[in-house]
């Protein structure tokens, strides 16, 4: 959910195709059809038999013995991670975690937290990892505050597993002249705090001409920002593309929002791990590579309609 430097723009035809696929995934979830609980669907994944887990010996002994990986996550970011109508944690990340758990012989327990506190929770050992649509950036790797450029911590390592850009969306049928970030000057945008969208909005605000101020309203989670835009309290919103596309396809039966322009800032999502936990980091990379190889990863991508963001291998600290 955060980045800072400019990256490639994804083609419009891929964006449109992905919106249709995400709409299908959302419809299946809302109607209870399909296999929405096959892999995860709950705050903790089922514990596989350690003897049947081919990569169990790669984990640190304390985690292997506990049988649990504690995951810090902002569980309000559909379709990456969110609560379904029954209160279960579902989405791309929980499904991938469940598949990795089969390889490692452990369950992944998702614990809810606000996005801007997840790395702090990792540093304080509240979580073993943070998995929450978190964009791998050099600033995060090095523990640098992206606003001030100052060192604020030792940083984290990332196991990269997905690629996503950032999109702008508006109320359906309104503000159709907004196509790019520069079109937001003189307008108001709602974003999630500590996200790439907030970073981009702040950067754009500095470029706006006199008399055309870009007003930014930041929220603890993306659902709050969507509610504000839905009520007419802003001109536009911005989220990671999978999240924006899911909201457009599903909010109000697809009648609340519309995507405008093309997604930008395509960058890797990474699982954040403390710098000192290299064994855990490498075990996660091995597990992600294993589920890519055995087809479980592809099943999750197709289930949620996000094949455009799929990767062919897990990498360490691939963010720029």
């Amino acid at each position: 959910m955060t980045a800072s430097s400019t990256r490639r723009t994804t083609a419009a035809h891929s964006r449109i195709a992905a919106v249709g696929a995400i709409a299908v995934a959302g419809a299946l979830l809302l109607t209870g059809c399909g296999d929405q609980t096959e892999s995860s669907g709950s705050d903790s994944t089922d514990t596989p038999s350690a003897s049947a887990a081919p990569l169990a010996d790669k984990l640190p002994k304390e985690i292997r013995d506990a049988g649990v990986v504690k995951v810090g996550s902002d569980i309000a970011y559909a379709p990456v991670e969110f609560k379904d109508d029954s209160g279960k944690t579902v989405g791309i990340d929980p499904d991938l975690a469940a598949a990795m758990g089969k390889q490692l012989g452990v369950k992944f327990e998702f614990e809810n937290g606000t996005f801007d506190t997840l790395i702090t929770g990792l540093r304080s050992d509240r979580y073993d990892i943070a998995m929450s649509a978190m964009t791998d950036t050099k600033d995060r790797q090095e523990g640098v505050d992206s606003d001030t450029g100052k060192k604020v911590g030792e940083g984290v390592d990332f196991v990269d597993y997905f690629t996503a850009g950032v999109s702008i969306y508006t109320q359906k049928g309104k503000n159709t002249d907004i196509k790019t970030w520069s079109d937001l000057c003189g307008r108001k945008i709602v974003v999630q705090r500590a996200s790439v969208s907030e970073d981009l909005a702040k950067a754009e605000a500095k470029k706006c001409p006199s008399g055309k101020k870009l007003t930014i309203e930041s929220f603890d989670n993306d659902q709050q920002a969507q509610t504000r835009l839905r009520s007419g309290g802003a001109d536009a919103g911005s989220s990671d593309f999978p999240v924006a596309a899911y909201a457009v396809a599903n909010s109000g039966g697809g009648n609340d929002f519309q995507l405008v322009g093309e997604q930008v800032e395509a960058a890797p999502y990474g699982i954040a791990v403390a710098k000192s936990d290299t064994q855990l980091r490498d075990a996660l990379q091995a597990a992600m590579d294993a589920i890519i190889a055995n087809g479980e990863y592809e099943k999750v991508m197709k289930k949620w309609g996000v094949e455009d963001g799929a990767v062919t291998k897990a990498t360490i600290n691939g963010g720029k």
Side-chain angles (χ1 to χ4, degrees):
M1 298 180 192
T2 188
S4 55
S5 58
T6 302
R7 300 182 178 90
R8 66 185 181 277
T9 301
T10 303
H13 74 273
S14 296
R15 171 170 57 83
I16 294 168
V19 172
I22 289 173
V24 172
L28 287 174
L29 179 65
L30 292 173
T31 58
C33 298
D35 59 346
Q36 298 303 312
T37 60
E38 177 184 348
S39 294
S40 176
S42 63
D43 290 341
S44 62
T45 61
D46 292 334
T47 306
S49 168
S51 61
L55 300 178
D57 61 349
K58 290 186 174 292
L59 284 169
K61 185 177 185 301
E62 61 271 20
I63 290 180
R64 187 168 65 248
D65 290 347
V68 172
V69 175
K70 295 179 294 182
V71 185
S73 188
D74 173 17
I75 310 175
Y77 211 59
V80 188
E81 49 262 315
F82 63 107
K83 299 282 188 179
D84 68 9
D85 290 341
S86 69
K88 293 181 179 178
T89 299
V90 298
I92 298 166
D93 282 352
D95 283 354
L96 291 175
M100 288 192 295
K102 295 175 185 176
Q103 298 294 318
L104 296 167
V106 293
K107 63 180 178 179
F108 285 70
E109 288 186 349
F110 280 72
E111 300 180 22
N112 197 24
T114 56
F115 185 75
D116 58 352
T117 65
L118 296 182
I119 288 182
T120 302
L122 194 62
R123 292 193 195 113
S124 65
D125 294 325
R126 178 177 177 182
Y127 316 122
D128 297 313
I129 65 174
M131 190 174 186
S132 189
M134 186 175 289
T135 304
D136 173 3
T137 67
K138 285 295 182 185
D139 282 350
R140 280 199 172 124
Q141 293 171 25
E142 297 170 0
V144 172
D145 185 297
S146 58
D147 282 338
T148 64
K150 294 181 179 179
K151 184 87 169 174
V152 293
E154 66 174 357
V156 295
D157 283 338
F158 286 98
V159 179
D160 299 338
Y161 64 96
F162 187 75
T163 301
V166 179
S167 292
I168 300 170
Y169 58 100
T170 65
Q171 283 186 291
K172 197 159 191 175
K174 297 184 179 180
N175 297 308
T176 55
D177 57 326
I178 296 175
K179 301 295 182 186
T180 68
W181 282 87
S182 61
D183 295 331
L184 293 168
C185 292
R187 311 290 186 95
K188 181 178 182 179
I189 189 170
V190 289
V191 296
Q192 178 172 347
R193 189 172 292 107
S195 68
V196 60
S197 297
E198 185 182 53
D199 290 346
L200 288 172
K202 288 179 178 178
E204 194 61 47
K206 295 176 182 178
K207 303 175 189 176
C208 289
S210 177
K212 294 193 71 176
K213 179 183 177 181
L214 169 55
T215 301
I216 305 165
E217 188 170 2
S218 302
F219 294 86
D220 284 342
N221 63 60
D222 202 69
Q223 292 176 354
Q224 293 170 348
Q226 289 178 23
T227 298
R228 181 68 163 165
L229 179 60
R230 191 183 296 111
S231 69
D235 300 297
S238 177
S239 306
D240 289 0
F241 169 69
V243 177
Y246 187 90
V248 166
N250 293 287
S251 180
N255 295 315
D256 287 344
F257 304 127
Q258 63 192 5
L259 287 172
V260 294
E262 296 185 6
Q263 59 172 312
V264 299
E265 296 281 306
Y269 282 175
I271 303 170
V273 186
K275 288 283 188 184
S276 58
D277 287 342
T278 55
Q279 186 178 357
L280 176 58
R281 178 200 68 193
D282 293 346
L284 294 170
Q285 181 187 30
M288 188 65 72
D289 279 336
I291 67 172
I292 290 172
N294 70 14
E296 289 296 313
Y297 177 91
E298 183 181 10
K299 289 179 182 178
V300 174
M301 298 296 107
K302 287 182 176 179
K303 172 180 173 180
W304 293 103
V306 292
E307 296 96 318
D308 281 354
V311 298
T312 57
K313 65 177 181 178
T315 57
I316 302 295
N317 295 334
K320 304 299 183 185

